[in-house]
Amino acid sequence: MRNKNQLPAMTVLATALLAIGSSAHAQTATPQDEPQTVVVTGLRASLESALNAKRTENSIVDVIKAEDIGKFPDTNLAESLQRVPGVAIDRDAGEGRSITVRGLGQDFTRVRINGIEGLATTGGTDSSGGNNRGRGFDFNVFASELFSSLTVRKSSAADVEEGSLGATVDLQTMRPFDLKKGFNATAMLKARYNDLAKKTNPRGAFMVSNTFNDNTMGYLISAAYSKRTMFEEGFSTVRWDNGSSSGGWCAPMGVGSSTATTCAPAGGGFPAADRLPASAGATDAYNQSSKNENFHPRLPRYGRLTHDQDRLGVTASFEWKPMRGTRISLDMLYADLKATREESFLEAISFSRTATQGGKPQTSVVQAQYDAQGRLLYGVYNGVDIRSENRFDDLSTKFTQPTLTIAHRLNDDWTVNARIGRAQSKFANPYQTTVTLDAPNVNGYTIDFRNSDRLPLITYPFDPSKTGVLNIYGVPAGATSVANATPSEIRIRPQGSNNVNDVLHLDAAWRANDTWTLKGGVDLKTYKFDTYEYRRGTEVMYGLPAGTSLDSVTRTVTDFGNGLSLPAGTITSWVIPDVKAITKLYDAYCNCLKSGPANGPGDFTLASITNGNARGNNRAIKEQDNGVFLMADFDTEAAGIPLRGNVGGRYVKTKVTAQGYLATGGGTPVTAYNDYKDFLPSFNLTASVTRDFLVRLAAAKVMSRPPLGNLNPGGSISTAGSPSINSGNPVLKPFRAKTLDASFEYYFGKNAFVGLGLFQKNIDSYIQGVRQSMPFNQTGLPMSLLPSNWNGTEVFDVTSFANTPGGKLRGFELNYQQPFTFLPSWGRNFGVVANYTQVESKINYLLAANVANSGMVQDDLVNLSPKSSNATLYYDDGKLSARLTGARRASYLQVVPAQNNNDVQGKNATFNVDLSVSYKWDDKLEFTLEGVNLTNEANDQFVSRARNSVLVHHVTGREFLVGARYKF
């Protein structure tokens, strides 16, 4: 049952639009290096320009364009891209972060900015991927106002660099010769309001350009700034596990050999967990909960996340035409994304922990109900550890890219082009600090899913908003740990990632005759990636110092749940630890040993390589990619049908150097090498069957390089939270596939279009993370890597990576665009753009880490939504313009197979509604009103296909923007 507040009228209207189809606001196709001369003056003109460009393209592409600063159709680049057929997005903190194209996720999509491949990364919540240490591009780094066009290239051509199975996305900033000659200036200012956080923030941009020296030189400078403060609230569980996990439950008296009055009593003054007395009800609840087919949440919790973001972007461009047929462009892009995030959770930690951690074997089941699929409906428990956890992140991404582009026509038959640039992204998370308050082994904890499977009613045997019931339970002075208990913690985990792409492209084209043009060139790229992380040797703490009041180191969350349909009786406030106050009290940022023995609760020294929990996130990759291509463009006729297109091939060699650290020897450095070669032929054909009916065919071999984290030659071990071990594989082969595309396009009437696209990708080589659970003493790793109070029977989730056979992916896209010019009077100003995409795939997944002996399971490709659609109803009379857009994405899988005895993990369907209205006061002044996420759509993640058990159910509120744009 989905619980959210909605705007019924808008939802009904948007749903009606989706019945028509779904939309790509502006689908165009424009060659990357050709100057843009079409001046778009309104929504209708933009759509017409899009169709004209699409019609004349040789390859299968879609484009979204903006005529001026601040004219992009959305406040976020990813949200604009979801209007393109086949593109679906994933959100973090309510904002589009990554994209999936035709079922292939962000690791399969290359992004070029001004023709140079780049990789912009930032940090996010753990449920949205956290620190992006992969190849996926984070679109939320950039302000949409900085760009003039987005191009999605769906079919491959030999002159487009390799590295994509899904698509190549080109982002183009504005240049002075793109605008009318002479002086141009535009300014935009908006106020942005979030109805959950009840905060108003500014968003602004400006652009100044000029051409001079007889219109042979020009400059353009633009900048955009936005501030965003918002809440993310809801319920989450992290994972679900079955009855026998983590050592099972505390058996009542008389069951088996359970004769003691306590269940594994804790040390260090922690309260004991009393065993339930013998009774038929206690035995029945214990037996039901202990079944392997019955599942419970591992970390049930309410949470509020406070996001505070400042985003600045600047572009500068200088262009020079020294002679006829020559154009030199120097472009500079700078982006600075600064953010803080506070995550405040009230949670029960017992259900995910072993006896040595004071967890599940100390917890008694008083009552329990499960449904037919084995999902917990209702449970009452004793001996539950309750925790108030507060995490603070300071996040920063700086992106810089200079690009020099030279295009020169030698004569009527020869042209040469050169492009050189460096794209550099630096992500830093210097403060990632978590502190906790605890209440160990409390009785009468209740969780009730009977009225809502997404937002349960949780009741506590105390008032969590009162100071003192949650306290600091530290390690006793002089000790380093507490037996059979989890003390309060101070986690300090500074980290970051750096990406650098150095790119050189050279090509030459020769027009042999009216039919054939030959083109050849070379691409040289050096890509460098490194990532780092530091942690404390132990993350527990001593008790509160004498003379310090608990009030001085705590705060309170209030008014929780305003954007949710919470069950009656749900708590709306709770005490949280104050990160700033606690770290100051303990001098936790000293990077030193404050008191006690080394590696004890008073040791705040940070380590990276020598720390087993941090070691795996200290690694580096260097790739040298050298490619050459040869291709022929043709324009001819056969049997009276005009034919145009291209045929060619690309040969590329990839050399990989991977550096990491082994667990042995306290972090032994290891370097691994790998190289592979690929020949990638491609073919594109467009047949003009009639003047208005085009048929396109495309075929290619494509490849995508392995995810960066999979190439780590070392490994990592985590003993905090859910124990896990990860090891990489530096000799992985890339993803490889054969692609087939067909497109049927009918252009009827003025600015009207209907199209059908068919595609199939035969994935010959796939890369999979293989997971299994096993006790640590069966992994072969030394016991010295574990905390001193662990005994080796703790169960770890062990992950490694392997090449697997892959499978087939196939689907179709339907596109429809039409202005309602057939209607009388003002109805002629309405129109619709819509698209619908359906994809299916069957990928063979390994079930165990041992490739030779593993069984296989066939399931959907991860991140693939079987159905997605987008529809926009618009009105444009040249003065008033309005758009109402609905975007639907079906549920999809994120992990196969999932952890903790589950088959899959994924995200449920979403439906987002946005509104945009603008009014031209005159030729210079325009007023705007926008509504984003009008249905307050939830981020709803699940585990298990049969149970659909909730992992995350968070909302971020609706956002409204009002502002004005002025052209000087």
Side-chain angles (χ1 to χ4, degrees), residues 526-829:
T526 300
Y527 170 60
K528 297 178 182 178
F529 160 81
D530 68 84
T531 185
Y532 60 89
E533 181 175 334
Y534 292 81
R535 294 193 187 190
R536 297 177 61 200
T538 181
E539 295 183 319
V540 296
M541 60 195 291
Y542 285 129
L544 194 66
T548 304
S549 70
L550 192 63
D551 282 336
S552 67
V553 292
T554 59
R555 295 186 289 113
T556 304
V557 170
T558 59
D559 298 322
F560 169 76
N562 286 334
L564 298 162
S565 299
L566 292 171
T570 302
I571 59 102
T572 59
S573 64
W574 66 89
V575 173
I576 59 172
D578 187 320
V579 173
K580 185 176 181 180
I582 288 179
T583 53
K584 181 179 180 181
L585 176 67
Y586 287 87
D587 195 15
Y589 294 137
C590 71
N591 193 18
C592 67
L593 174 61
K594 292 294 296 184
S595 61
N599 230 23
D603 189 350
F604 294 96
T605 306
L606 300 180
S608 57
I609 298 164
T610 57
N611 186 315
N613 288 312
R615 183 181 301 121
N617 284 328
N618 291 270
R619 58 182 188 269
I621 301 290
K622 180 180 179 181
E623 286 180 349
Q624 292 178 292
D625 309 326
N626 300 326
V628 295
F629 72 90
L630 182 64
M631 121 177 172
D633 288 315
F634 57 86
D635 191 343
T636 185
E637 187 175 292
I641 298 177
L643 302 175
R644 53 187 169 87
N646 55 65
V647 60
R650 169 176 287 271
Y651 176 82
V652 60
K653 180 177 180 180
T654 303
K655 182 179 179 181
V656 181
T657 304
Q659 296 176 305
Y661 298 90
L662 299 174
T664 58
T668 303
V670 58
T671 301
Y673 303 93
N674 192 21
D675 63 78
Y676 43 87
K677 306 175 183 67
D678 288 273
F679 176 67
L680 306 170
S682 60
F683 170 72
N684 289 275
L685 171 69
T686 299
S688 300
V689 179
T690 69
R691 182 179 180 275
D692 297 321
F693 181 56
L694 304 182
V695 176
R696 302 182 191 270
L697 301 174
K701 281 187 175 182
V702 294
M703 62 87 80
S704 182
R705 296 179 175 90
L708 297 174
N710 299 4
L711 297 174
N712 182 12
S716 66
I717 175 173
S718 176
T719 57
S722 298
S724 62
I725 297 171
N726 289 275
S727 61
N729 182 356
V731 295
L732 288 170
K733 299 176 183 177
F735 300 92
R736 293 188 173 108
K738 302 179 184 71
T739 66
L740 300 171
D741 292 271
S743 180
F744 304 89
E745 303 168 5
Y746 178 50
Y747 300 81
F748 62 99
K750 182 176 175 60
N751 200 18
F753 163 80
V754 63
L756 169 65
L758 308 174
F759 53 89
Q760 178 169 314
K761 300 178 188 292
N762 299 327
I763 302 174
D764 302 320
S765 176
Y766 190 71
I767 298 171
Q768 180 196 335
V770 185
R771 295 176 173 87
Q772 59 182 335
S773 297
M774 65 173 64
F776 183 86
N777 55 21
Q778 295 180 18
T779 65
L781 294 174
M783 288 289 295
S784 60
L785 299 177
L786 293 181
S788 59
N789 61 323
W790 290 30
N791 58 25
T793 60
E794 294 81 10
V795 176
F796 279 68
D797 293 314
V798 181
T799 303
S800 58
F801 300 93
N803 285 107
T804 58
K808 294 185 184 298
L809 180 152
R810 59 173 64 91
F812 67 88
E813 299 168 350
L814 290 172
N815 300 275
Y816 170 64
Q817 175 178 322
Q818 186 174 18
F820 297 160
T821 52
F822 52 86
L823 294 178
S825 186
W826 56 269
R828 298 171 56 86
N829 297 320

Side-chain angles (χ1 to χ4, degrees), residues 488-500:
S488 299
E489 296 179 302
I490 299 179
R491 305 177 203 148
I492 305 174
R493 303 176 181 180
Q495 56 188 284
S497 301
N498 301 304
N499 294 273
V500 180

Side-chain angles (χ1 to χ4, degrees), residues 874-943:
Y874 69 85
Y875 177 90
D876 186 8
D877 63 10
K879 198 171 187 69
L880 175 65
S881 179
R883 291 181 293 108
L884 180 64
T885 298
R888 182 180 295 277
R889 182 178 185 182
S891 63
Y892 59 96
L893 304 182
Q894 295 175 303
V895 179
V896 180
Q899 303 175 60
N900 303 106
N901 307 295
N902 292 280
D903 56 349
V904 298
Q905 181 177 317
K907 184 173 285 192
N908 280 313
T910 57
F911 177 54
N912 290 88
V913 178
D914 301 326
L915 174 69
S916 176
V917 180
S918 65
Y919 178 76
K920 283 188 177 181
W921 184 262
D922 53 33
D923 289 340
K924 295 182 178 296
L925 180 62
E926 183 177 10
F927 296 100
T928 62
L929 171 66
E930 297 164 81
V932 180
N933 189 28
L934 295 178
T935 55
N936 193 23
E937 188 69 9
N939 171 18
D940 188 18
Q941 300 178 34
F942 71 91
V943 64

